[in-house]
Amino acid sequence: MIKIRNDNIEDAEKIYQLIKQAFESAEHSDGNEHILAAELRNGSSLIPQLSLVAELNNQIVGCVMFSKIHINGYEEAALAPLAVLPEYQFQGIGSALVAQGHKIAKQLGYHYSIVLGDPQYYSRFGYVSASVYNIKAPFKVDDKYFMALKLNEDKSNNIEGIVAYPKEFGI
Ligand SMILES: CC(C)(COP(=O)(O)OP(=O)(O)OC[C@H]1O[C@@H](n2cnc3c(N)ncnc32)[C@H](O)[C@@H]1OP(=O)(O)O)[C@@H](O)C(=O)NCCC(=O)NCCS
C-alpha cells in the first residue's frame, strides 16, 4: 500500500539518489534535476508542505516537490521535479504524488500550479498550455510544454503574467 507523506531531513540523500536514477532513463532531462531538487531543499523557495515522498514497504520510491513562484506579484506553485524509481513506474505512484500535491496546494490557497513537462503526462491532471490563462514563461519554450493547472475554478482569482522563478532554477 502506497503511503504519501511529507519528507524530512533524513530523506535528503535517498531523494537525491532517487531523482538522479529516475531521470537517467527519462526522455526529457538535462541531467541536473537531482541538483535542482537539492538546491530547492536547501533554499527558501520549496513549499515545505509540498515536498512529498511516496513510500512502499517503508522504502521511498517516488517524490514530488512544489516551489514558490510569482505571477504578477502573486505567489503561486510550480511542480518540479517529479520522479518515481524506474522499477516502480506505471503503478500510479506518480499520479498519487501529483494528486496529493494538488490537494495540499489548494488547501494552502494557491490558485495555479505551473509545470514544464510532457503534455501527454500532465494533461491527465487537468494541466493545459499556460497561455490559455495568459500565463507566460520567462524563457523561450514550445507553448505545449509550459503548462498550468487552475486549482480552483473561481474566475475572480484569475492571474495573468510572466512567471518569475526563484533563483534556484537558474532562469
Ligand atoms: C513521469 C513519472 C514520474 C511517472 O510516474 P509513474 O508512477 O510511472 O506514473 P503513473 O503510474 O501515475 O502514470 C503512468 C502513466 O503515465 C505515462 N507516463 C509515464 N511516464 C511518462 C512520461 N515520461 N511521459 C509521458 N507519459 C508518461 C504512462 O504511459 C502511463 O500512462 P497510462 O496511464 O495512460 O497507461 C515517472 O515515469 C518518472 O519518474 N520518469 C522519469 C522522470 C520524469 O520524466 N519526470 C517527469 C518530468 S516532466
Side-chain angles (χ1 to χ4, degrees):
M1 169 79 170
I2 285 286
K3 179 180 157 196
I4 310 277
R5 65 164 173 84
N6 231 196
D7 66 7
N8 58 56
I9 191 73
E10 286 92 65
D11 301 323
E13 179 59 23
K14 279 185 199 137
I15 292 173
Y16 183 88
Q17 296 301 338
L18 183 159
I19 297 172
K20 190 163 180 247
Q21 210 182 322
F23 277 92
E24 263 162 18
S25 51
E27 200 181 323
H28 305 285
S29 167
D30 63 7
N32 289 325
E33 289 82 1
H34 55 300
I35 296 166
L36 167 67
E39 283 175 4
L40 288 169
R41 294 174 63 80
N42 293 333
S44 56
S45 306
L46 184 64
I47 303 163
Q49 302 92 323
L50 285 171
S51 188
L52 304 173
V53 292
E55 265 185 351
L56 193 61
N57 303 325
N58 290 324
Q59 190 200 343
I60 295 177
V61 295
C63 66
V64 69
M65 295 178 188
F66 292 75
S67 295
K68 297 168 199 164
I69 49 143
H70 286 87
I71 309 170
N72 199 14
Y74 291 93
E75 183 182 306
E76 296 297 342
L79 187 170
L82 166 68
V84 173
L85 282 175
E87 60 269 39
Y88 293 95
Q89 290 176 6
F90 302 96
Q91 297 175 32
I93 297 171
S95 299
L97 280 162
V98 172
Q100 182 67 6
H102 291 158
K103 191 175 156 195
I104 297 169
K106 205 169 162 175
Q107 285 166 356
L108 291 173
Y110 289 104
H111 309 107
Y112 293 91
S113 172
I114 303 293
V115 72
L116 177 64
D118 189 330
Q120 251 189 3
Y121 186 67
Y122 287 103
S123 60
R124 72 189 62 213
F125 306 108
Y127 283 87
V128 294
S129 289
S131 60
V132 167
Y133 299 116
N134 270 327
I135 295 173
K136 304 273 162 54
F139 43 79
K140 219 170 166 237
V141 60
D142 190 335
D143 195 54
K144 65 177 189 258
Y145 295 116
F146 190 73
M147 290 170 282
L149 170 72
K150 188 132 186 347
L151 293 162
N152 72 51
E153 284 309 322
D154 185 348
K155 285 207 171 38
S156 66
N157 290 323
N158 283 0
I159 297 167
E160 301 180 351
I162 299 171
V163 173
Y165 281 90
K167 62 176 185 323
E168 290 86 345
F169 283 83
I171 291 161

